[in-house]
Amino acid sequence: MKLLIIGASGVLGSRLYNDTIKKKWSVMGTYCSRECDGLFYLDVRDKNSIEKVFDLFKPEAVVMAGGITDVDLCMLKPKLAQDVNIKGTINLVKKIKEYGSKLIYISTDYIFDGKTGPYKEDDKPNPINTYGRTKLEAENIIRAKLKDYLIVRTCQLYGVAERSFAPNSNFALKIIHNMQNGKKVYAANDLYSTPTYSGLLSDILIKLIEKNAEGIYHGAGAEFLNRYDYVNKIADIFGLDKALILRVKLKDLKLKAKRPKKCGLKTDKIKKEKIIELYDCYIGLALLKTDILG
Ligand SMILES: NC(=O)c1ccc[n+]([C@@H]2O[C@H](COP(=O)([O-])OP(=O)(O)OC[C@H]3O[C@@H](n4cnc5c(N)ncnc54)[C@H](OP(=O)(O)O)[C@@H]3O)[C@@H](O)[C@H]2O)c1
């Protein structure tokens, strides 16, 4: 299997890159702005860079784990979000058709409105922010233009970007970093999700690719919980002072972009097809601790 991973400098992409290299797959990974050893430059807005990578590697399958993933940034810079997440997908889809590769696109629970989560694969999308809208539009382009595609939606990723570690790169790392430095953290008890360890999602993707799965799957952690409970679990696993955790409501956080309140993903399809045994936050966070501390 010749697998191209776009966004291999990110949290999910770097994990999948390392895991597939360990499995001795033939893998090429790309970065966009954070140059990393062993990775190739590819910006989905730049057709030449896509062309170069495809010409060099001729991938059989492409995992699209790249893009603008910061929900507030998407709201503040909607043109950037559209250029990368939508136009970039159009550029990529064209090249994929030309090379006859399979596309594995990573999407999000933020395509839903968060009124009745967690959601299953065929629930009706209704995004409430720019990030969700651009991801849904990318999904729709892929479904309209390609026959051989796999869309895997995930939720609230936690993990370490193994090639470019930054303590702020996801919610869990931010919480750990702030609490370790004695800072108070605010956790909304009305914001629900199914947090997903990057290693779990990487394992799900590997299994789905191995069985040549098609269509839409939800790949997420086994636990549906609110941010306040999630932060308490982070504190348990990392031995942090729970007095620093302040229980608030989503509206008190005054976030720039709207968040779907009761979101998260149902994973019955993965369970029914026995793709992989899913696990909860305690197990995922313990694995994260090992990733960080060794
Ligand atoms: N994070 C979450 O909680 C979450 C939840 C649901 C779904 N997802 C989806 O899961 C996927 C992976 O998320 P993640 O958290 O691992 O992402 P991440 O850590 O933010 O990494 C994003 C990756 O995209 C690359 N990238 C940015 N702009 C690009 C461009 N113009 N062209 C090509 N690559 C570009 C980045 O490269 P550089 O850093 O080198 O610029 C980086 O490798 C994304 O599709 C995201 O929408 C994430």
Side-chain angles (χ1 to χ4, degrees):
M1 163 67 68
K2 288 181 82 178
L3 183 71
L4 172 64
I5 302 173
I6 297 177
S9 49
V11 171
L12 171 65
S14 63
R15 178 60 190 242
L16 182 66
Y17 182 85
N18 288 351
D19 288 350
T20 47
I21 293 272
K22 276 183 208 146
K23 285 178 80 70
K24 304 212 181 318
W25 289 13
S26 171
V27 187
M28 181 189 259
T30 73
Y31 70 91
C32 182
S33 63
R34 289 177 286 178
E35 192 169 349
C36 301
D37 270 359
L39 301 185
F40 291 74
Y41 167 73
L42 185 151
D43 183 333
V44 285
R45 292 167 299 182
D46 169 3
K47 292 179 188 168
N48 283 337
S49 70
I50 304 181
E51 176 86 45
K52 265 190 193 161
V53 165
F54 271 69
D55 255 8
L56 190 66
F57 189 57
K58 300 183 176 56
E60 291 166 281
V62 179
V63 174
M64 177 48 171
I68 305 298
T69 61
D70 181 324
V71 178
D72 293 321
L73 181 66
C74 286
M75 198 218 80
L76 294 171
K77 297 197 168 174
K79 188 178 178 311
L80 174 70
Q82 280 163 13
D83 285 350
V84 175
N85 293 353
I86 301 174
K87 289 187 189 157
T89 302
I90 295 172
N91 294 339
L92 188 61
V93 161
K94 276 190 190 144
K95 209 31 77 187
I96 279 183
K97 274 187 107 158
E98 198 182 310
Y99 278 76
S101 325
K102 175 180 187 133
L103 176 60
I104 296 118
Y105 180 76
I106 312 303
S107 191
T108 170
D109 61 330
Y110 273 28
I111 63 156
F112 298 109
D113 59 19
K115 288 185 181 156
T116 55
Y119 293 95
K120 52 187 190 318
E121 284 80 354
D122 53 3
D123 281 332
K124 195 169 178 289
N126 182 31
I128 60 167
N129 58 33
T130 308
Y131 171 68
R133 281 192 285 273
T134 60
K135 296 294 285 186
L136 178 62
E137 200 165 331
E139 279 194 19
N140 289 339
I141 291 162
I142 291 161
R143 293 170 73 175
K145 302 270 180 212
L146 295 176
K147 285 196 189 85
D148 196 8
Y149 69 84
L150 170 65
I151 292 171
V152 180
R153 297 185 186 132
T154 192
C155 170
Q156 181 77 84
L157 276 178
Y158 57 96
V160 174
E162 299 183 18
R163 296 190 140 61
S164 51
F165 181 78
N168 281 341
S169 54
N170 51 68
F171 178 77
L173 293 189
K174 252 182 247 175
I175 293 292
I176 296 160
H177 180 74
N178 286 342
M179 289 180 78
Q180 278 174 341
N181 288 294
K183 288 191 188 153
K184 289 190 174 110
V185 296
Y186 299 86
N189 68 353
D190 56 351
L191 184 58
Y192 284 81
S193 67
T194 42
T196 309
Y197 172 55
S198 58
L200 175 64
L201 183 57
S202 169
D203 289 344
I204 292 171
L205 289 169
I206 287 171
K207 293 282 181 203
L208 289 172
I209 294 168
E210 281 175 342
K211 83 169 223 154
N212 199 21
E214 291 175 352
I216 301 181
Y217 282 80
H218 285 180
E223 213 172 354
F224 177 62
L225 77 179
N226 67 52
R227 284 276 175 102
Y228 180 73
D229 292 339
Y230 179 43
V231 170
N232 272 281
K233 291 194 178 206
I234 294 174
D236 283 339
I237 293 292
F238 284 83
L240 301 164
D241 177 7
K242 287 188 177 177
L244 293 169
I245 307 172
L246 302 180
R247 183 181 5 213
V248 294
K249 296 285 176 201
L250 174 60
K251 64 173 172 38
D252 303 324
L253 294 173
K254 303 206 181 330
L255 299 170
K256 292 179 185 80
K258 273 190 181 176
R259 301 301 199 270
K261 266 189 173 177
K262 210 173 164 210
C263 224
L265 299 169
K266 282 186 181 154
T267 44
D268 302 275
K269 189 170 172 184
I270 293 257
K271 286 176 207 149
K272 203 170 154 204
E273 293 184 20
K274 297 191 175 22
I275 305 290
I276 196 169
E277 201 68 45
L278 300 172
Y279 47 78
D280 63 16
C281 287
Y282 272 138
I283 295 180
L285 289 167
L287 291 167
L288 175 68
K289 191 174 174 187
T290 311
D291 293 341
I292 295 173
L293 302 176

